[in-house]
Structure formats: C-alpha cells, structure tokens
Amino acid sequence: HVKARGKDGYRFYSDSMSINTANRLSLERDLRLALERNELRVFYQPQVCSRSNRVVGLEALVRWQHPERGLLYPRDFLPLAEETRLVGKLSEQVIDQACRDVGRWISTGHPDLRLAVNLSPSQVEHPRFVETLMNHVSAHQFPPANLEIEITENVIMNDLEQISQKLKELAATGVRIAIDDFGTGYSSLNYLHRLPIHTLKVDQSFVKAIRGGDDGACIVNAIVAMAHGLKLEIVAEGVETDDQLTYLKSLGCHQVQGFFYGPARPAADITSLLAGDALSLAHTG
Ligand code: C2E
Ligand code: MG
Ligand code: MG
Ligand code: MG
C-alpha cells in the first residue's frame, strides 16, 4: 500500500488504484484550498477587429497558479470542478475578478470594451443563475451591455424551455449571449432565431481546416453566411495564421481571436496592450 498524508488525516491507496485516482483526490483537496487562498488567476485573450486592428473584446480564461504544480489550464481542473460542484464558486471568483479588471479598463478610455465570460453547464442550470450573475455584475457596477456570456449549444439543447426563459431574462438586462464552439455540439438551428443570441463563435477546429480547400473551409463559409443572414455577430476562434485571417476577411468575418493576435495574458499585460492600442489610434486619428 501507498500511504499519503492528507490535510484531514491519512488516505490509503491500494496499488491497484490508478495514479489518476490519487492525483484526483489530492487535486480536489487542493482546489478547495485554492478557492480559499485565491490561487485562481484570470487571463484575458484579445478579440480583435481585423479591419481596425483594435481590441474590441477580452475573453476571460481561468488559470490556476498551483503552489507546487505551477500554472494549470482549465482542462487540468475544470472537469473536476464540475464533478465536485466547486465550479459555482470558481466561476463567481472569475466573474468578480474579470468585472474588476475590465471595469477598470472600460472606465479609463475603453468604454466599448466587451468582456466575454464562459459559463459552465451546471451554472446555467442553477435555478437562480440570472439573479446570482447579475448580483456579481452590479456589485462591481459593471455595465451589463459590456458583458457577453459564452455558452455552448449543448447547454441550450439540454433544456430548451428553461434556458429560453433565463436567456430572455438575461438579455433584458442588456447582457449579450454568445454561442461558443459553434458547430461542434448536438443542436438544432431552430433555436437561433427563437432565443436572444447575439454572437456565434466559430469553433477553432473549423478555422484550423481553412487550408488547401479542406472541407472545413466550406463549414466556415456556411456559418459566416448564416450569421450574416440572421444578423448575428461572428467571432472566429483559434486564428493562428495570416492565411486564415485573409480568408476570414474575404468572407466578411472581421472579429477574430487566436494566437495570431496573441494568447490569453495576465491583466498587467492587457493594461499595457490597451495603452499601446490607444496610442496607435491617436496616430491614425
Ligand atoms: P473556449 O471558451 O472555447 O476558449 C478557447 C480556448 O482556446 C482557450 O483555451 C484558449 O486559450 C485557446 N486558444 C485561443 N486561441 C487559440 C489558438 O490560436 N490556437 C489554439 N490551439 N488555442 C487557442 P483554455 O484557456 O485552455 O480554455 C479551454 C476551455 O475551458 C474554454 O474553451 C472554456 O470552455 C473553458 N473555460 C476557460 N475559462 C473558463 C471559466 O472561467 N469558466 C468556465 N466555466 N469555463 C472556462
Ligand atoms: Mg469561450
Ligand atoms: Mg470556443
Ligand atoms: Mg470550449
């Protein structure tokens, strides 16, 4: 037997238990502590208008500065947070931090800057989801019209009636709604004109396939054409190359996000990025 000392006593792992199980237990304990010790960090990835090269939005992406394991990414801890019901608390910390940071940028020369926040399925399914979210938003005096929540198609299809009610309530406050990873879920297109959706985010798998006449390019064409027809905004995710950018521009998809313009960065980097942005705008008049 392998014996590990947890904070709350001894835990015994049999040799047949996978490393993953041991790993998981310690990660779960660490995640509870992380929420108390404020080890979560919010990074921001710019959403850029390729016509003006201006930052139009920032997507908040959570990171965990783990004391021993270093900087962890959502794939390392979000599934666990979902299973252990810690995700609600985690999301509230992300929203608080993001409203503080982006609220500061909004009030210092970037009044139209949009904050995009990812919401987990269990968060949206919570009966008091809208009330809870808006409590956090107003506690920071964050302007609702500058907030865009990102949800996936599957969250919508799970319980169309309930979600429809909530999204209408939310949209009435001025908050915008984006469908993340659009095209990858199990959904019907029927909801697009029945729900108050403002933005479609083209999944990065389709953007990656914009290359040498790949079928993925056709899917991007179709999604962009549909978004234009329905008068929805469109943001392409995962844009990494000049070729992808040129192609997206030729389709009239001008809002892009991806490593081409830069990865998610800590707040301090965004402060200087926005300062530079303001400077270059002053030069172009
Ligand atoms: P997402 O919302 O679709 O976010 C896009 C992901 O793609 C991010 O990964 C981002 O860092 C990455 N990415 C951006 N540009 C590029 C690119 O050009 N190439 C490639 N290969 N990747 C790119 P990240 O930060 O690891 O987040 C993964 C997922 O975790 C997110 O997918 C989102 O679903 C979820 N997530 C992140 N933060 C939060 C949060 O605060 N709350 C909740 N509920 N979910 C979150
Ligand atoms: Mg997202
Ligand atoms: Mg996405
Ligand atoms: Mg995703």
Side-chain angles (χ1 to χ4, degrees), residues 59 61 118 150 180 201 237:
E59 179 173 2
L61 294 161
N118 296 282
E150 297 193 0
D180 204 352
K201 296 192 75 179
E237 293 193 79

Side-chain angles (χ1 to χ4, degrees), residues 115-161:
L115 163 62
V117 174
N118 296 282
L119 299 182
S120 75
S122 66
Q123 219 181 333
V124 180
E125 280 154 20
H126 191 280
R128 291 175 47 200
F129 149 67
V130 176
E131 188 189 336
T132 309
L133 177 68
M134 294 319 288
N135 281 344
H136 284 271
V137 170
S138 50
H140 298 284
Q141 289 162 307
F142 190 89
N146 290 58
L147 179 64
E148 183 163 87
I149 60 154
E150 297 193 0
I151 56 177
T152 58
E153 294 159 274
N154 297 345
V155 171
I156 289 178
M157 298 317 289
N158 222 359
D159 190 344
L160 194 54
E161 280 318 306

Side-chain angles (χ1 to χ4, degrees), residues 27-271:
L27 202 64
E28 179 177 341
R29 180 203 57 204
D30 288 359
L31 186 56
R32 285 181 202 282
L33 287 174
L35 293 167
E36 288 166 24
R37 296 174 178 168
N38 295 316
E39 289 169 6
L40 296 183
R41 302 284 175 267
V42 183
F43 280 32
Y44 300 93
Q45 186 177 34
Q47 299 178 328
V48 177
C49 170
S50 62
R51 273 184 291 207
S52 61
N53 275 326
R54 286 194 66 183
V55 178
V56 292
L58 294 166
E59 179 173 2
L61 294 161
V62 66
R63 307 289 182 250
W64 175 8
Q65 189 62 59
H66 190 287
E68 290 116 35
R69 299 178 200 224
L71 192 68
L72 301 184
Y73 286 75
R75 63 173 172 273
D76 303 320
F77 60 89
L78 260 192
L80 182 72
E82 276 280 347
E83 288 165 37
T84 54
R85 303 182 159 277
L86 292 170
V87 74
K89 208 164 175 209
L90 179 150
S91 302
E92 289 179 13
Q93 291 193 4
V94 170
I95 288 165
D96 284 337
Q97 190 57 56
C99 284
R100 264 196 296 272
D101 288 336
V102 182
R104 195 171 61 240
W105 296 319
I106 286 171
S107 61
T108 53
H110 303 277
D112 298 325
L113 193 61
R114 177 173 73 211
L115 163 62
V117 174
N118 296 282
L119 299 182
S120 75
S122 66
Q123 219 181 333
V124 180
E125 280 154 20
H126 191 280
R128 291 175 47 200
F129 149 67
V130 176
E131 188 189 336
T132 309
L133 177 68
M134 294 319 288
N135 281 344
H136 284 271
V137 170
S138 50
H140 298 284
Q141 289 162 307
F142 190 89
N146 290 58
L147 179 64
E148 183 163 87
I149 60 154
E150 297 193 0
I151 56 177
T152 58
E153 294 159 274
N154 297 345
V155 171
I156 289 178
M157 298 317 289
N158 222 359
D159 190 344
L160 194 54
E161 280 318 306
Q162 273 218 42
I163 194 85
S164 154
Q165 188 53 41
K166 287 173 179 171
L167 295 186
K168 283 174 184 162
E169 231 179 283
L170 198 57
T173 69
V175 170
R176 297 158 51 90
I177 296 144
I179 306 299
D180 204 352
D181 307 340
F182 185 77
T184 62
Y186 297 94
S187 77
S188 130
L189 296 176
N190 200 25
Y191 73 83
L192 283 178
H193 64 96
R194 287 179 48 200
L195 298 181
I197 308 290
H198 303 81
T199 304
L200 298 185
K201 296 192 75 179
V202 183
D203 188 66
Q204 49 190 42
S205 60
F206 302 128
V207 173
K208 284 212 164 48
I210 299 177
R211 193 186 326 117
D214 208 313
D215 287 348
C218 299
I219 297 177
V220 175
N221 294 2
I223 295 175
V224 173
M226 187 175 67
H228 285 160
L230 291 168
K231 302 206 166 35
L232 297 172
E233 288 198 30
I234 184 137
V235 178
E237 293 193 79
V239 178
E240 296 183 356
T241 69
D242 202 24
D243 287 349
Q244 290 165 350
L245 185 67
T246 305
Y247 188 78
L248 288 162
K249 277 180 162 179
S250 77
L251 298 179
C253 175
H254 296 288
Q255 294 190 55
V256 295
Q257 190 183 340
F259 296 165
F260 183 81
Y261 283 108
R265 294 192 176 92
D269 293 11
I270 301 295
T271 302

